């Protein structure tokens, strides 16, 4: 049986190295394998935090362009905008009537956001329910996500079960998650050493280049020890960033020089320059493709429209099944 893979990403900021190595790269690699691949831009979800229409429009476009520029082939994967398939909000309502408040009250992401000072809106509270609807609307088998989304996928499994049990039906398929195995990729550090995140302001945009990139990389937090002092590379998160780009031989060479210390050992500035060059080189082709796509908006519009048509046809079937099962048809 062909498997359906589905994932979404919020267009709430420019995509950074953490998003790329923790999510986008795997999603694009998966779409080269057998199966049906569905990837969408979660614009409904972004409304829980973003209230600037022009900015949202721009970020939706940037997000689509990022996926395409990084190699997503629209012939192999369906790419669309979440809000082009309003059926997901209908499914969300159906799920909301069979889900207990307690399930959502246990959501870590909601509790974390509140703890960080977010003013809770109902949408933020029901965020996992819309995400469950996203997953269930397409009969998804596998959901490739980062570690922080595990609980949300588990909630989608629970909600599918509640609906099916209540209506003694098999309308919703139980999705499974697909997690990135590598620790290095799961938690890419930001310039301050904490997990890279738009909301911490410690991120590096994947298409940053030249002076701006140099400045950003220059801000990576280090200490005041001189180059000649021997250091333990495993204590320097700068190496976790370098590890994303350098091959194993080059990486271990830099590490052993730092470990030895002495006259010829590289200083932090030197390592940062290497990182800057490596980032630029890694995304050089994608950067060019991005510029091409920015200059031809109709190409992107057509890809999103074709993706929406395919995705919507699937969601309508599932929605119809669900409406019938609960007596609305
Ligand atoms: P942000 O924290 O910047 O708001 P999101 O929560 O929108 O990022 O994450 C989008 C995707 O990127 C998720 O699958 C998430 O797991 C992944 N991701 C985000 N930050 C990192 C990181 N620092 N390291 C690895 N993966 C990340
Ligand atoms: N909540 C996800 C994130 O912030 C984005 C998302 C929305 C998603 N709907 C989804 C991911 C459905 C996977 C499946 O990263």
């Amino acid at each position: 049986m062909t498997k359906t893979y589905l994932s979404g990403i919020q267009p709430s900021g420019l995509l950074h190295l953490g998003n790329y190595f923790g999510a986008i790269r795997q999603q694009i690699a998966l779409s080269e394998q057998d199966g049906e691949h569905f990837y969408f831009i979660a614009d409904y979800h972004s409304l829980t935090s973003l209230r600037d229409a022009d900015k949202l429009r721009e970020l939706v476009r940037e997000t689509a362009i990022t996926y395409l520029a990084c190699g997503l082939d629209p012939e192999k994967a369906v790419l669309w905008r979440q809000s082009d398939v309003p059926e997901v909000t209908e499914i969300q309502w159906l799920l909301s009537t069979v889900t207990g408040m307690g399930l959502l009250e246990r959501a870590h992401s909601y509790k974390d956001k509140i703890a960080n000072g977010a003013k809770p809106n109902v949408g933020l509270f029901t965020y996992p329910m819309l995400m469950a609807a996203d997953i269930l609307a397409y009969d998804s088998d596998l959901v490739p996500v980062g570690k922080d989304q595990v609980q949300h996928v588990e909630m989608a499994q629970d909600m599918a079960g509640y609906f099916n049990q209540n209506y003694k039906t098999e309308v919703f398929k139980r999705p499974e998650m697909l997690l990135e195995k590598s620790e290095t990729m799961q938690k890419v550090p930001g310039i301050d050493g904490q997990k890279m995140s738009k909301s911490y302001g410690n991120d590096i945009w994947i298409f940053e280049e030249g002076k701006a990139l140099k400045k950003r990389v220059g801000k990576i937090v280090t200490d005041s020890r001189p180059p000649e002092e021997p250091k333990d590379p495993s204590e320097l998160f700068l190496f976790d960033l370098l590890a994303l780009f350098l091959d194993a031989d080059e990486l271990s060479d830099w590490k052993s020089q730092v470990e030895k210390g002495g006259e010829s050992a590289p200083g932090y500035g030197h390592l940062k320059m290497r990182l800057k060059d490596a980032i630029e080189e890694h995304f050089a082709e994608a950067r060019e493709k991005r510029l091409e796509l920015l200059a031809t908006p109709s190409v992107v519009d057509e890809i999103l429209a074709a993706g929406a048509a395919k995705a919507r046809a699937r969601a309508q079937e599932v929605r119809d099944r669900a409406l019938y099962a609960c007596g609305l048809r």
Side-chain angles (χ1 to χ4, degrees), residues 225-239:
R225 288 178 291 173
E228 43 300 355
E229 188 178 327
K231 301 172 194 77
D232 177 358
S234 68
E235 287 171 3
L236 302 173
F237 73 86
L238 182 53
F239 276 111

Side-chain angles (χ1 to χ4, degrees), residues 38-70:
F38 285 78
Y39 294 119
F40 66 92
I41 303 163
D43 54 355
Y44 278 143
H45 274 114
S46 284
L47 293 180
T48 59
S49 58
L50 189 69
R51 306 266 154 59
D52 180 333
D54 289 334
K55 184 100 196 135
L56 181 55
R57 269 186 280 273
E58 184 198 324
L59 286 171
V60 166
R61 179 163 296 273
E62 266 296 344
T63 306
I65 289 179
T66 303
Y67 270 81
L68 297 168
C70 288

Side-chain angles (χ1 to χ4, degrees), residues 44 82-83 85-94 130 133-134:
Y44 278 143
Q82 182 186 32
S83 62
V85 183
E87 285 75 11
V88 295
T89 62
E90 285 184 69
I91 293 175
Q92 184 199 345
W93 175 256
L94 302 184
L130 179 59
D134 288 328

